Amino acid sequence: KLENGQLIIVPCALVKRLPQHFVSLSPEVDVDVTLGKNGYIWITRTIPRVWKQQEEAAAGLGTSIGPGAQSGTPLAETAQNLQR
């Protein structure tokens, strides 16, 4: 899902065919670039790891749900909902 970014469309001849069309620029820049072979380029800021972990936990994909979760945090609320 593409969110919080900017779509740029260029002629597809300008996009070199690569095995991987995802580039994460240096930590100082905090930008991710997704290149489509059709000429679509999606530029977005890098999502912090903490946000990714919270999203996974909310979706039930996290592996750290359990008694170690602090009360009142989204992780603890997810754990409580799963135990019901």
Side-chain angles (χ1 to χ4, degrees):
K1 120 177 130 170
L2 300 175
E3 294 180 338
N4 303 324
Q6 182 69 40
L7 177 67
I8 299 171
I9 302 173
V10 299
C12 60
L14 296 176
V15 179
K16 184 178 179 180
R17 304 259 179 202
L18 301 170
Q20 182 177 4
H21 284 252
F22 181 80
V23 179
S24 201
L25 300 180
S26 67
E28 295 84 26
V29 179
D30 284 336
V31 172
D32 293 333
V33 179
T34 305
L35 303 166
K37 294 179 185 178
N38 59 357
Y40 285 28
I41 300 173
W42 184 256
I43 300 175
T44 186
R45 67 181 181 150
T46 302
I47 305 297
R49 288 183 189 219
V50 174
W51 292 4
K52 289 180 183 179
Q53 291 170 348
Q54 289 174 349
E55 203 172 278
E56 289 174 354
L61 302 174
T63 57
S64 59
I65 295 176
Q70 296 177 0
S71 177
T73 63
L75 180 59
E77 292 173 12
T78 302
Q80 289 174 356
N81 289 337
L82 290 173
Q83 292 172 356
R84 290 182 189 169

